[in-house]
Amino acid sequence: MNDTLGIILAGIGDAPFGALKQHRSVAAMPICSRYRLVDFLLSSMVNSGITNVGIPTLSAYRSLMDHLGSGTDWDLDRKLYGLFILPPYGVYRQTDAFVGDIDVLAGITDYLSRSKQEYVLLCGCNALFNMTFYDLHEFHLDNNADITVLCCKQPATDLSSSPRFIALRTDETGRVTDMRARDGLADNEFRSLDVWFMKKSFLEQQIAYCSSRGMHDFAMDVVIKNLKRFKVYAHCYDGYVGNLDSINDFYRENMRLLERDNFTALFCEDLPVYTKIKDQVPTRYTNTANVKNSLVGDGCTMAGTVENCVVFRGVTVEPGAVVRNSIIMQDTHIEAGANLDSVILDKNVTISAGKHLAGQSTYPIVVGKNTVI
C-alpha cells in the first residue's frame, strides 16, 4: 500500500479520561503493560506497507512525542517519507475548547498537498485492533467508492454517549444506507471503527468545503450529511476489537487482555505490534512474591501479592503489599502492607505503607501522576 498516506488523529474529542488524560493524548494511553494505543494503529499501517504516516497533535502531546521519537521502532525513520508529528496550527477557537477533526486537518493541508500518495487512510485512535488494511484497500477499489469506513459487528453497551461512536446500516452490497452518532446500536447494525479510506484529492476537497462553511466534524458534516450524494461503503472487520472512550473502557480493555484468548487474538504471530524499546533489565521476582494471572512489564520488582493486574515497566511491589484487579503504570512504588483493589495508578505514584484503596470493576479509583498517598 505504498499508494496510501496514513493519518492518525491523536485524540480529537472530549473522551472522559479524567486525570489519565491530563498529561497525555488519547493516542498515548498506556495499555497491556508496555504499549500505547497508537502502537496498534502504527503497527497495522507498517504491516500494510504504509510508509508515510502523519500524526496531527492538538494538546498534551509531549508524552506522545517522547514515545514515538523519530519512528525508529516502527521502521519509519526514513529519508523518503516516514513518521511526521504535526503540531497544532491554526485550529484553536477562543470560545470552544473542542476542535473538530476538520479543523485539525485544515491545519496540515501543506503536509497533505506535499504527499504524493493517491489515497489516504484517516484514523481516529480510540479503537484497539491489530490488522492489515489490504482488504480494505481492495474493497474500496472494487466498489469504486468515494469513502470506505472500517466497521465491526460488536455488541455496544454504554457507547452511545461517546463523541466518536457511530452506528451504521448497510445494504447487501455493503453500501451504507444509514449512519448516525451517539444513538446506540441495533442488532442488524455495525459500529464504525473511525477508520476512513478515500482518495487524498477527495479529502482535500472536503476539508476546503467544510472549512469555508463553518463545518468541523468529518463524520457528521462530510459523511452523514452526504450519504445519498457520496458512495459510502462499509468494510467489516471480524477480528479482536476493543474500545477506549472512557476510564471504564480503559480499565475494562486492560482487564480483558488478561484472558488468554483475547490476548492471542490481539497479538497474533504474523502481525507484530511494535513499540518503544527501553532495554530495561528483566523483572525480578523475590521469594515472597505471589503473582497470578497478570501482565508484568520489564524492569519491575515483585515482592508482594499481585493478582489479575496489568503492571507496567519499573514498578516495585514491596513484601506484604497486596494488589488485585488493578492497573499499575510505570515507575510506581507500592510499599509494604499496602492493599489495593480495582484501582488505576498513573506513572510515578507512591502508595505508602499500610494504605488501603478499593474501587469497583465498574468504578475503579484513579490516582493521578506523581501522587503520593
mmCIF file of all heavy atoms in Angstrom, residues 262-296:
data_model
loop_
_atom_site.group_PDB
_atom_site.id
_atom_site.type_symbol
_atom_site.label_atom_id
_atom_site.label_comp_id
_atom_site.label_asym_id
_atom_site.label_seq_id
_atom_site.Cartn_x
_atom_site.Cartn_y
_atom_site.Cartn_z
ATOM 1 N N ASN A 262 -8.283 -13.556 24.375
ATOM 2 C CA ASN A 262 -8.258 -12.168 23.918
ATOM 3 C C ASN A 262 -6.839 -11.713 23.600
ATOM 4 O O ASN A 262 -6.595 -11.028 22.594
ATOM 5 C CB ASN A 262 -8.871 -11.249 24.977
ATOM 6 C CG ASN A 262 -10.356 -11.462 25.147
ATOM 7 O OD1 ASN A 262 -11.041 -11.912 24.230
ATOM 8 N ND2 ASN A 262 -10.880 -11.145 26.319
ATOM 9 N N PHE A 263 -5.898 -12.091 24.450
ATOM 10 C CA PHE A 263 -4.506 -11.681 24.244
ATOM 11 C C PHE A 263 -3.954 -12.252 22.935
ATOM 12 O O PHE A 263 -3.347 -11.535 22.139
ATOM 13 C CB PHE A 263 -3.656 -12.147 25.429
ATOM 14 C CG PHE A 263 -2.233 -11.655 25.373
ATOM 15 C CD1 PHE A 263 -1.890 -10.436 25.937
ATOM 16 C CD2 PHE A 263 -1.238 -12.407 24.757
ATOM 17 C CE1 PHE A 263 -0.564 -9.981 25.904
ATOM 18 C CE2 PHE A 263 0.071 -11.962 24.706
ATOM 19 C CZ PHE A 263 0.404 -10.749 25.281
ATOM 20 N N THR A 264 -4.180 -13.529 22.711
ATOM 21 C CA THR A 264 -3.657 -14.152 21.488
ATOM 22 C C THR A 264 -4.387 -13.667 20.247
ATOM 23 O O THR A 264 -3.810 -13.654 19.151
ATOM 24 C CB THR A 264 -3.752 -15.682 21.581
ATOM 25 O OG1 THR A 264 -5.109 -16.067 21.870
ATOM 26 C CG2 THR A 264 -2.851 -16.220 22.686
ATOM 27 N N ALA A 265 -5.659 -13.254 20.393
ATOM 28 C CA ALA A 265 -6.386 -12.716 19.241
ATOM 29 C C ALA A 265 -5.846 -11.353 18.837
ATOM 30 O O ALA A 265 -5.799 -11.017 17.645
ATOM 31 C CB ALA A 265 -7.873 -12.622 19.562
ATOM 32 N N LEU A 266 -5.426 -10.543 19.813
ATOM 33 C CA LEU A 266 -4.885 -9.219 19.508
ATOM 34 C C LEU A 266 -3.432 -9.292 19.079
ATOM 35 O O LEU A 266 -3.024 -8.621 18.128
ATOM 36 C CB LEU A 266 -5.026 -8.314 20.735
ATOM 37 C CG LEU A 266 -4.544 -6.870 20.568
ATOM 38 C CD1 LEU A 266 -5.341 -6.135 19.496
ATOM 39 C CD2 LEU A 266 -4.639 -6.112 21.896
ATOM 40 N N PHE A 267 -2.647 -10.119 19.752
ATOM 41 C CA PHE A 267 -1.218 -10.237 19.445
ATOM 42 C C PHE A 267 -0.986 -11.512 18.641
ATOM 43 O O PHE A 267 -0.395 -12.471 19.140
ATOM 44 C CB PHE A 267 -0.387 -10.238 20.731
ATOM 45 C CG PHE A 267 -0.422 -8.943 21.480
ATOM 46 C CD1 PHE A 267 -1.361 -8.731 22.479
ATOM 47 C CD2 PHE A 267 0.462 -7.923 21.192
ATOM 48 C CE1 PHE A 267 -1.416 -7.533 23.180
ATOM 49 C CE2 PHE A 267 0.430 -6.722 21.883
ATOM 50 C CZ PHE A 267 -0.517 -6.529 22.872
ATOM 51 N N CYS A 268 -1.454 -11.518 17.403
ATOM 52 C CA CYS A 268 -1.268 -12.698 16.559
ATOM 53 C C CYS A 268 0.160 -12.736 16.012
ATOM 54 O O CYS A 268 0.805 -11.703 15.818
ATOM 55 C CB CYS A 268 -2.297 -12.719 15.433
ATOM 56 S SG CYS A 268 -2.579 -11.134 14.645
ATOM 57 N N GLU A 269 0.656 -13.945 15.753
ATOM 58 C CA GLU A 269 2.065 -14.142 15.423
ATOM 59 C C GLU A 269 2.486 -13.443 14.141
ATOM 60 O O GLU A 269 3.614 -12.951 14.035
ATOM 61 C CB GLU A 269 2.365 -15.649 15.322
ATOM 62 C CG GLU A 269 2.260 -16.390 16.651
ATOM 63 C CD GLU A 269 2.642 -17.841 16.512
ATOM 64 O OE1 GLU A 269 3.028 -18.244 15.395
ATOM 65 O OE2 GLU A 269 2.559 -18.582 17.505
ATOM 66 N N ASP A 270 1.611 -13.418 13.141
ATOM 67 C CA ASP A 270 2.015 -12.882 11.843
ATOM 68 C C ASP A 270 1.837 -11.373 11.730
ATOM 69 O O ASP A 270 2.166 -10.785 10.698
ATOM 70 C CB ASP A 270 1.235 -13.578 10.714
ATOM 71 C CG ASP A 270 -0.273 -13.490 10.913
ATOM 72 O OD1 ASP A 270 -0.701 -13.249 12.044
ATOM 73 O OD2 ASP A 270 -1.008 -13.679 9.927
ATOM 74 N N LEU A 271 1.325 -10.718 12.788
ATOM 75 C CA LEU A 271 1.159 -9.268 12.775
ATOM 76 C C LEU A 271 1.776 -8.683 14.042
ATOM 77 O O LEU A 271 1.087 -8.417 15.030
ATOM 78 C CB LEU A 271 -0.327 -8.893 12.690
ATOM 79 C CG LEU A 271 -1.059 -9.246 11.392
ATOM 80 C CD1 LEU A 271 -2.537 -8.884 11.505
ATOM 81 C CD2 LEU A 271 -0.433 -8.549 10.197
ATOM 82 N N PRO A 272 3.084 -8.488 14.051
ATOM 83 C CA PRO A 272 3.735 -7.972 15.261
ATOM 84 C C PRO A 272 3.281 -6.555 15.591
ATOM 85 O O PRO A 272 2.993 -5.746 14.699
ATOM 86 C CB PRO A 272 5.231 -8.001 14.883
ATOM 87 C CG PRO A 272 5.246 -7.969 13.391
ATOM 88 C CD PRO A 272 4.024 -8.709 12.944
ATOM 89 N N VAL A 273 3.213 -6.266 16.884
ATOM 90 C CA VAL A 273 2.891 -4.924 17.362
ATOM 91 C C VAL A 273 4.185 -4.306 17.887
ATOM 92 O O VAL A 273 4.801 -4.824 18.825
ATOM 93 C CB VAL A 273 1.826 -4.959 18.471
ATOM 94 C CG1 VAL A 273 1.528 -3.537 18.955
ATOM 95 C CG2 VAL A 273 0.545 -5.618 17.966
ATOM 96 N N TYR A 274 4.605 -3.211 17.271
ATOM 97 C CA TYR A 274 5.859 -2.565 17.626
ATOM 98 C C TYR A 274 5.608 -1.465 18.659
ATOM 99 O O TYR A 274 4.558 -0.833 18.673
ATOM 100 C CB TYR A 274 6.513 -1.956 16.382
ATOM 101 C CG TYR A 274 6.681 -2.945 15.257
ATOM 102 C CD1 TYR A 274 5.801 -2.947 14.171
ATOM 103 C CD2 TYR A 274 7.700 -3.892 15.271
ATOM 104 C CE1 TYR A 274 5.939 -3.854 13.138
ATOM 105 C CE2 TYR A 274 7.848 -4.801 14.239
ATOM 106 C CZ TYR A 274 6.957 -4.775 13.174
ATOM 107 O OH TYR A 274 7.095 -5.679 12.157
ATOM 108 N N THR A 275 6.601 -1.241 19.504
ATOM 109 C CA THR A 275 6.502 -0.182 20.494
ATOM 110 C C THR A 275 7.906 0.333 20.813
ATOM 111 O O THR A 275 8.905 -0.204 20.319
ATOM 112 C CB THR A 275 5.805 -0.691 21.772
ATOM 113 O OG1 THR A 275 5.517 0.423 22.626
ATOM 114 C CG2 THR A 275 6.668 -1.693 22.535
ATOM 115 N N LYS A 276 7.977 1.358 21.633
ATOM 116 C CA LYS A 276 9.268 1.924 22.015
ATOM 117 C C LYS A 276 10.048 0.921 22.864
ATOM 118 O O LYS A 276 9.520 0.390 23.843
ATOM 119 C CB LYS A 276 9.042 3.219 22.790
ATOM 120 C CG LYS A 276 10.327 3.906 23.240
ATOM 121 C CD LYS A 276 10.002 5.192 23.994
ATOM 122 C CE LYS A 276 11.273 5.901 24.449
ATOM 123 N NZ LYS A 276 10.972 7.166 25.169
ATOM 124 N N ILE A 277 11.282 0.685 22.485
ATOM 125 C CA ILE A 277 12.144 -0.252 23.208
ATOM 126 C C ILE A 277 12.949 0.514 24.259
ATOM 127 O O ILE A 277 13.553 1.547 23.958
ATOM 128 C CB ILE A 277 13.096 -0.981 22.244
ATOM 129 C CG1 ILE A 277 12.291 -1.726 21.164
ATOM 130 C CG2 ILE A 277 13.985 -1.947 23.023
ATOM 131 C CD1 ILE A 277 11.350 -2.767 21.695
ATOM 132 N N LYS A 278 12.949 -0.002 25.490
ATOM 133 C CA LYS A 278 13.671 0.682 26.569
ATOM 134 C C LYS A 278 14.867 -0.110 27.091
ATOM 135 O O LYS A 278 15.654 0.406 27.874
ATOM 136 C CB LYS A 278 12.715 0.992 27.722
ATOM 137 C CG LYS A 278 11.713 2.089 27.381
ATOM 138 C CD LYS A 278 11.089 2.670 28.627
ATOM 139 C CE LYS A 278 10.257 3.891 28.279
ATOM 140 N NZ LYS A 278 9.647 4.518 29.478
ATOM 141 N N ASP A 279 14.975 -1.377 26.703
ATOM 142 C CA ASP A 279 16.142 -2.188 27.087
ATOM 143 C C ASP A 279 16.374 -2.217 28.595
ATOM 144 O O ASP A 279 17.499 -2.086 29.080
ATOM 145 C CB ASP A 279 17.411 -1.677 26.386
ATOM 146 C CG ASP A 279 17.325 -1.830 24.873
ATOM 147 O OD1 ASP A 279 16.753 -2.836 24.413
ATOM 148 O OD2 ASP A 279 17.808 -0.930 24.160
ATOM 149 N N GLN A 280 15.294 -2.386 29.358
ATOM 150 C CA GLN A 280 15.440 -2.499 30.804
ATOM 151 C C GLN A 280 15.770 -3.940 31.192
ATOM 152 O O GLN A 280 15.622 -4.871 30.398
ATOM 153 C CB GLN A 280 14.142 -2.061 31.489
ATOM 154 C CG GLN A 280 13.876 -0.572 31.403
ATOM 155 C CD GLN A 280 12.596 -0.181 32.115
ATOM 156 O OE1 GLN A 280 11.527 -0.591 31.712
ATOM 157 N NE2 GLN A 280 12.710 0.635 33.153
ATOM 158 N N VAL A 281 16.210 -4.099 32.439
ATOM 159 C CA VAL A 281 16.518 -5.441 32.932
ATOM 160 C C VAL A 281 15.224 -6.225 33.092
ATOM 161 O O VAL A 281 14.138 -5.642 33.207
ATOM 162 C CB VAL A 281 17.257 -5.371 34.283
ATOM 163 C CG1 VAL A 281 18.571 -4.636 34.117
ATOM 164 C CG2 VAL A 281 16.385 -4.670 35.333
ATOM 165 N N PRO A 282 15.285 -7.554 33.104
ATOM 166 C CA PRO A 282 14.068 -8.341 33.331
ATOM 167 C C PRO A 282 13.486 -8.078 34.708
ATOM 168 O O PRO A 282 14.161 -7.615 35.633
ATOM 169 C CB PRO A 282 14.564 -9.791 33.211
ATOM 170 C CG PRO A 282 15.852 -9.712 32.448
ATOM 171 C CD PRO A 282 16.464 -8.408 32.826
ATOM 172 N N THR A 283 12.215 -8.372 34.848
ATOM 173 C CA THR A 283 11.551 -8.230 36.145
ATOM 174 C C THR A 283 12.097 -9.250 37.141
ATOM 175 O O THR A 283 12.351 -10.407 36.792
ATOM 176 C CB THR A 283 10.032 -8.402 35.974
ATOM 177 O OG1 THR A 283 9.517 -7.253 35.308
ATOM 178 C CG2 THR A 283 9.326 -8.551 37.313
ATOM 179 N N ARG A 284 12.267 -8.805 38.377
ATOM 180 C CA ARG A 284 12.806 -9.675 39.430
ATOM 181 C C ARG A 284 11.669 -10.094 40.369
ATOM 182 O O ARG A 284 10.930 -9.253 40.881
ATOM 183 C CB ARG A 284 13.897 -8.944 40.215
ATOM 184 C CG ARG A 284 14.567 -9.798 41.289
ATOM 185 C CD ARG A 284 15.784 -9.083 41.855
ATOM 186 N NE ARG A 284 15.401 -7.901 42.613
ATOM 187 C CZ ARG A 284 15.235 -7.886 43.936
ATOM 188 N NH1 ARG A 284 15.399 -9.004 44.641
ATOM 189 N NH2 ARG A 284 14.914 -6.766 44.548
ATOM 190 N N TYR A 285 11.536 -11.392 40.555
ATOM 191 C CA TYR A 285 10.538 -11.950 41.474
ATOM 192 C C TYR A 285 11.265 -12.520 42.693
ATOM 193 O O TYR A 285 12.096 -13.430 42.564
ATOM 194 C CB TYR A 285 9.734 -13.054 40.788
ATOM 195 C CG TYR A 285 8.929 -12.578 39.598
ATOM 196 C CD1 TYR A 285 9.505 -12.528 38.329
ATOM 197 C CD2 TYR A 285 7.609 -12.171 39.747
ATOM 198 C CE1 TYR A 285 8.776 -12.091 37.233
ATOM 199 C CE2 TYR A 285 6.872 -11.729 38.658
ATOM 200 C CZ TYR A 285 7.465 -11.694 37.399
ATOM 201 O OH TYR A 285 6.737 -11.258 36.313
ATOM 202 N N THR A 286 10.969 -11.988 43.868
ATOM 203 C CA THR A 286 11.646 -12.446 45.085
ATOM 204 C C THR A 286 10.927 -13.677 45.656
ATOM 205 O O THR A 286 9.874 -14.096 45.159
ATOM 206 C CB THR A 286 11.660 -11.336 46.148
ATOM 207 O OG1 THR A 286 10.340 -11.150 46.655
ATOM 208 C CG2 THR A 286 12.168 -10.024 45.556
ATOM 209 N N ASN A 287 11.489 -14.222 46.712
ATOM 210 C CA ASN A 287 10.890 -15.411 47.349
ATOM 211 C C ASN A 287 9.522 -15.120 47.969
ATOM 212 O O ASN A 287 8.722 -16.041 48.181
ATOM 213 C CB ASN A 287 11.828 -15.959 48.433
ATOM 214 C CG ASN A 287 13.109 -16.522 47.847
ATOM 215 O OD1 ASN A 287 13.117 -16.962 46.696
ATOM 216 N ND2 ASN A 287 14.183 -16.519 48.622
ATOM 217 N N THR A 288 9.245 -13.857 48.255
ATOM 218 C CA THR A 288 7.956 -13.504 48.869
ATOM 219 C C THR A 288 6.890 -13.136 47.834
ATOM 220 O O THR A 288 5.750 -12.844 48.203
ATOM 221 C CB THR A 288 8.129 -12.319 49.842
ATOM 222 O OG1 THR A 288 8.655 -11.186 49.120
ATOM 223 C CG2 THR A 288 9.082 -12.693 50.970
ATOM 224 N N ALA A 289 7.250 -13.141 46.549
ATOM 225 C CA ALA A 289 6.317 -12.737 45.501
ATOM 226 C C ALA A 289 5.251 -13.804 45.272
ATOM 227 O O ALA A 289 5.537 -15.006 45.312
ATOM 228 C CB ALA A 289 7.069 -12.463 44.214
ATOM 229 N N ASN A 290 4.044 -13.360 45.032
ATOM 230 C CA ASN A 290 2.931 -14.246 44.681
ATOM 231 C C ASN A 290 2.154 -13.570 43.552
ATOM 232 O O ASN A 290 1.256 -12.758 43.792
ATOM 233 C CB ASN A 290 2.040 -14.495 45.897
ATOM 234 C CG ASN A 290 0.868 -15.420 45.571
ATOM 235 O OD1 ASN A 290 0.906 -16.154 44.575
ATOM 236 N ND2 ASN A 290 -0.169 -15.378 46.389
ATOM 237 N N VAL A 291 2.503 -13.877 42.326
ATOM 238 C CA VAL A 291 1.949 -13.195 41.145
ATOM 239 C C VAL A 291 1.114 -14.182 40.349
ATOM 240 O O VAL A 291 1.611 -15.247 39.953
ATOM 241 C CB VAL A 291 3.072 -12.602 40.267
ATOM 242 C CG1 VAL A 291 2.478 -11.893 39.053
ATOM 243 C CG2 VAL A 291 3.928 -11.634 41.085
ATOM 244 N N LYS A 292 -0.168 -13.827 40.125
ATOM 245 C CA LYS A 292 -1.076 -14.716 39.418
ATOM 246 C C LYS A 292 -1.847 -13.937 38.350
ATOM 247 O O LYS A 292 -2.295 -12.816 38.594
ATOM 248 C CB LYS A 292 -2.089 -15.360 40.385
ATOM 249 C CG LYS A 292 -1.482 -16.233 41.463
ATOM 250 C CD LYS A 292 -2.575 -16.790 42.373
ATOM 251 C CE LYS A 292 -1.991 -17.670 43.469
ATOM 252 N NZ LYS A 292 -3.064 -18.179 44.383
ATOM 253 N N ASN A 293 -1.982 -14.558 37.189
ATOM 254 C CA ASN A 293 -2.829 -14.035 36.104
ATOM 255 C C ASN A 293 -2.616 -12.546 35.886
ATOM 256 O O ASN A 293 -3.555 -11.740 35.895
ATOM 257 C CB ASN A 293 -4.309 -14.316 36.401
ATOM 258 C CG ASN A 293 -5.193 -14.042 35.190
ATOM 259 O OD1 ASN A 293 -4.828 -14.355 34.063
ATOM 260 N ND2 ASN A 293 -6.351 -13.447 35.412
ATOM 261 N N SER A 294 -1.382 -12.148 35.661
ATOM 262 C CA SER A 294 -1.061 -10.733 35.494
ATOM 263 C C SER A 294 -0.113 -10.545 34.314
ATOM 264 O O SER A 294 0.672 -11.441 33.985
ATOM 265 C CB SER A 294 -0.432 -10.156 36.764
ATOM 266 O OG SER A 294 -1.333 -10.202 37.852
ATOM 267 N N LEU A 295 -0.200 -9.371 33.689
ATOM 268 C CA LEU A 295 0.770 -8.952 32.685
ATOM 269 C C LEU A 295 1.748 -8.002 33.355
ATOM 270 O O LEU A 295 1.334 -6.973 33.902
ATOM 271 C CB LEU A 295 0.063 -8.250 31.522
ATOM 272 C CG LEU A 295 -0.866 -9.104 30.663
ATOM 273 C CD1 LEU A 295 -1.657 -8.219 29.702
ATOM 274 C CD2 LEU A 295 -0.074 -10.141 29.877
ATOM 275 N N VAL A 296 3.024 -8.339 33.322
ATOM 276 C CA VAL A 296 4.034 -7.559 34.037
ATOM 277 C C VAL A 296 5.111 -7.133 33.058
ATOM 278 O O VAL A 296 5.716 -7.969 32.377
ATOM 279 C CB VAL A 296 4.649 -8.368 35.194
ATOM 280 C CG1 VAL A 296 5.668 -7.519 35.941
ATOM 281 C CG2 VAL A 296 3.561 -8.854 36.145
#
